[in-house]
Amino acid sequence: MANPGETSTAHLLAQSGVRRVPSPKIEMVTVPNFLSGELCDELIGLIDANRRPSTIADPNGDDYFRTSETCDLDPEESAVQDLERKLFALTGIDPAHGEPVQGQRYEVGQEFKAHTDFFEPDGQDFEKYCTVAGQRTWTFMAYLNDVDAGGATRFKLIDKMFQPRRGMLVGWNNRRLDGSLNHDTLHHAMKVRKGLKYVITKWYRERPWGW
């Protein structure tokens, strides 16, 4: 890879089970059954044990913009290490460029309204979050359980919606091939209507993570 904090669609598609999402607007892949049921259960247990209210980088005045709960997963946990090994085998991204794995839990009615994962250059916290490790490059998100109703992830600008499927991984490049930020990655974690929703998210950076 040109940058050890990046991967490519070509690299990902060379791995077993990877499917490309057909869109000229975004580099995006899915991997069904990326995580085993056992590993999903272990990660859910870690999230339940350490969850806290979620926050956003740049508050926008909407107190209901992100209503889920969040957990920064301990990198010393064996389940987290198993996950990291699987991600490295898939992506080839230098683990030093990865943020700590984050877990999210959504109860009925909770959501994360439409947002992008990259940091807006004119955002009030851009320097705080990007001075050391730079901008986010790729996002990889895995669903840890099937949701009884609701809870889909909607990418409105590419007309794509993912229903939570236990063990499925979704990954996308937050930038375009020319390096510019890709606003077509806008996505909405829609409200859960019945049951619970658990996901984990792994973000990668342009430079090694130094926090």
Side-chain angles (χ1 to χ4, degrees), residues 9-127:
T9 301
H11 178 90
L12 295 168
L13 290 175
Q15 315 308 310
S16 176
V18 179
R19 304 173 181 174
R20 181 167 190 170
V21 174
S23 172
K25 296 182 176 181
I26 188 173
E27 281 190 285
M28 175 181 279
V29 299
T30 62
V31 189
N33 303 310
F34 179 72
L35 301 180
S36 68
E38 180 181 1
L39 185 51
C40 287
D41 288 342
E42 292 177 11
L43 293 168
I44 287 172
L46 293 176
I47 294 169
D48 275 338
N50 295 286
R51 53 194 171 91
R52 66 179 189 278
S54 299
T55 59
I56 59 176
D58 291 317
N60 59 11
D62 183 352
D63 293 338
Y64 299 97
F65 191 81
R66 188 184 188 190
T67 54
S68 61
E69 292 180 301
T70 294
C71 172
D72 294 315
L73 298 179
D74 185 348
E76 299 303 316
E77 292 283 352
S78 60
V80 178
Q81 293 176 353
D82 287 348
L83 170 65
E84 292 278 23
R85 281 192 289 269
K86 290 181 66 66
L87 286 169
F88 177 64
L90 173 73
T91 69
I93 298 176
D94 185 339
H97 287 249
E99 295 184 28
V101 178
Q102 188 179 102
Q104 291 94 31
R105 180 184 190 268
Y106 295 80
E107 295 185 354
V108 171
Q110 292 186 332
E111 66 179 323
F112 191 175
K113 295 179 183 179
H115 63 284
T116 53
D117 286 354
F118 55 77
F119 298 99
E120 291 288 354
D122 58 354
Q124 64 186 52
D125 285 334
F126 180 78
E127 289 193 12

Side-chain angles (χ1 to χ4, degrees), residues 118-154:
F118 55 77
F119 298 99
E120 291 288 354
D122 58 354
Q124 64 186 52
D125 285 334
F126 180 78
E127 289 193 12
K128 172 183 176 182
Y129 289 108
C130 295
T131 298
V132 175
Q135 186 62 268
R136 283 176 172 162
T137 56
W138 281 75
T139 295
F140 289 91
M141 178 185 68
Y143 300 103
L144 302 182
N145 68 312
D146 296 330
V147 178
D148 294 334
T153 309
R154 183 187 185 194

Side-chain angles (χ1 to χ4, degrees), residues 176-204:
R176 301 184 185 280
L177 292 178
D178 64 4
S180 62
L181 299 175
N182 188 351
H183 289 83
D184 289 322
T185 60
L186 185 79
H187 56 288
H188 177 188
M190 300 175 73
K191 288 182 179 180
V192 172
R193 301 296 180 186
K194 182 180 180 182
L196 294 171
K197 173 185 172 183
Y198 291 88
V199 300
I200 61 94
T201 309
K202 179 74 176 183
W203 294 288
Y204 293 93

